[in-house]
Amino acid sequence: MEEPKIKVGIMSAAEVKFILDGDFHVSDTTVSGSQVATTDGKSIIWNNKEYTELFFEPTNDEVSFWLEDVTIGVNFHWERKENQRFKGALKLIVENGKITPINILGVEDYLLSVISSEMSATASLELLKAHAVISRSWLLAQIDKNKRIVDAGEQYSAVEKTSDDEMIKWYDREDHINFDVCADDHCQRYQGITRASTPEVAKAIEATRGQVLMDGENLCDARFSKCCGGVYEEFENCWEPIHYDYLAARRDGENETDFPDLTIEENAREWILTRPEAHCNTSDAEILSQVLNNYDQETTDFYRWEVTYTQEEISKLVKERSGMDYGNIVDLEPIARGTSGRLYKLKIVGTNKTLTIGKELEIRRTLSPSHLYSSAFVVEKGENDANGLPSTFTLKGAGWGHGVGLCQIGAAVMGAKGYNYKEILLHYFVDAEIKELY
Ligand SMILES: [Zn+2]
Ligand SMILES: [Zn+2]
């Protein structure tokens, strides 16, 4: 197998300005320099001619192109526009009445860019190698999946299951139709070669070239999150009800099979309210700065954490975040927990409305202005106020993110302890195999 090419959708705009820094082939001609493409909603208009799509192919490896006014951080407080530079080919298509520029490049070059911007420059080589293998597996699985969807003419969307007293949703990437991944956080943040790549990342990618995680003949769905909380969560408790053997519950420690059944409420309570030993149970600043890109700004009590809301705060928050008026909040009852102690069903009892919600991301979105660290929490209610309602709700929790697959903080600790990347990967992806595809 040869190194595959990946198609990355960069942005969407009615008018696209770009600069070809060197010679590119397009149709039968060679062009370079500043270009503008616009659309009437159906065709692309470039140099006063109409096209259904345009393909600019670099004439050699040295040339690159700039895209102007690429929006980054979509829907984040730091959303802004910048000019970005890319290697590889540029394709322009019309989608939903706008032009989508697509960058087509080799998988390894793409990985160099995304891992350089995602990982801290101080990360250990073994941690970077583990990340390279995971990102490559995810990416190739994505390309495969898109091919299957396009071939079958299917449309994917977020899934939802609703009854009168229960609303269980899960969120996954919606799949793109005309390219493999987008350049935003929705898939993986990709900024081409706008910023220099990290030499350590280049080394990690080179050393693992073509290597992926496999489950028999299939590429692994190589998930990862910041901190599992001590035990891994299983896939089906976060997304669709499919069990993957390689995403099974294990202790994130030396003795992988030594852990309680956290689907049982008393066990989960004891686990969450204590600090059991685990790779990710660390406060080592040097290790944490390898994984947390903005270490200085981020809180470091993720292994066990606590949030308190007043009655007024929580009833307002739940109303705003869910779009439903529960009235005052009377109780938050744990209904079902996964293998890491994460709730995948939580009953919200209000004076106006009572509903059981899930899965973990829906719970985290409902109970926080942004995202609650995780859904592995227990609830402690304050004394009743004059109206007989709990005056406060304290959520005491464990872990950060969904907890499925590789635990980034645990993996960083393993790297620091001297484990190599294969040992790290096979610790988190149970009985998977590392294979070289090309
Ligand atoms: Zn995307
Ligand atoms: Zn962990």
Side-chain angles (χ1 to χ4, degrees), residues 69 109 123 125 184 187-188 211 219 233 304 437:
D69 291 338
D109 280 341
L125 185 58
D184 217 338
C187 288
Q188 267 184 302
Q211 290 180 15
L219 284 159
E233 192 49 75
R304 294 295 179 266
L437 281 189

Side-chain angles (χ1 to χ4, degrees), residues 87-243:
K87 283 268 195 187
L90 170 67
K91 186 179 175 185
L92 302 180
I93 61 164
V94 179
E95 244 187 351
N96 307 320
K98 289 181 171 178
I99 300 175
T100 300
I102 298 169
N103 183 200
I104 301 164
L105 77 165
V107 160
E108 302 293 314
D109 280 341
Y110 170 80
L111 290 174
L112 178 60
S113 170
V114 292
I115 299 177
S116 290
S117 62
E118 185 181 334
M119 297 291 286
S120 157
T122 62
S124 73
L125 185 58
E126 295 306 308
L127 179 64
L128 291 172
K129 284 186 194 168
H131 248 286
V133 175
I134 287 181
S135 298
R136 190 179 292 110
S137 308
W138 177 81
L139 194 61
L140 295 178
Q142 212 53 49
I143 296 174
D144 265 10
K145 195 170 163 188
N146 283 358
K147 269 196 203 120
R148 282 203 310 274
I149 293 167
V150 170
D151 289 351
E154 290 174 38
Q155 283 253 13
Y156 262 50
S157 63
V159 193
E160 190 175 329
K161 195 178 75 186
T162 310
S163 74
D164 283 349
D165 49 10
E166 198 176 86
M167 189 186 67
I168 306 300
K169 289 184 186 178
W170 56 91
Y171 300 85
D172 210 347
R173 295 186 42 269
E174 279 168 54
D175 294 70
H176 300 293
I177 297 165
N178 298 313
F179 44 86
D180 301 307
V181 290
C182 70
D184 217 338
D185 286 335
H186 172 260
C187 288
Q188 267 184 302
R189 196 184 309 167
Y190 170 65
Q191 300 164 330
I193 54 166
T194 315
R195 286 165 192 82
S197 57
T198 318
E200 282 296 288
V201 173
K203 220 188 275 177
I205 287 169
E206 183 65 39
T208 62
R209 184 183 161 82
Q211 290 180 15
V212 289
L213 279 166
M214 301 282 291
D215 173 35
E217 291 303 300
N218 299 315
L219 284 159
C220 289
D221 192 339
R223 308 267 162 162
F224 63 90
S225 68
K226 282 269 171 17
C227 172
C228 69
V231 174
Y232 319 154
E233 192 49 75
E234 296 191 340
F235 182 91
E236 58 269 46
N237 298 324
C238 297
W239 299 285
E240 63 267 33
I242 300 173
H243 180 78

Side-chain angles (χ1 to χ4, degrees), residues 19 21 77 106 140 157 228 271 294 320 349 388 414 419:
I19 301 163
D21 193 1
H77 62 91
L140 295 178
S157 63
C228 69
W271 182 259
N294 303 306
E320 264 174 28
V349 182
M414 287 183 80
Y419 287 97

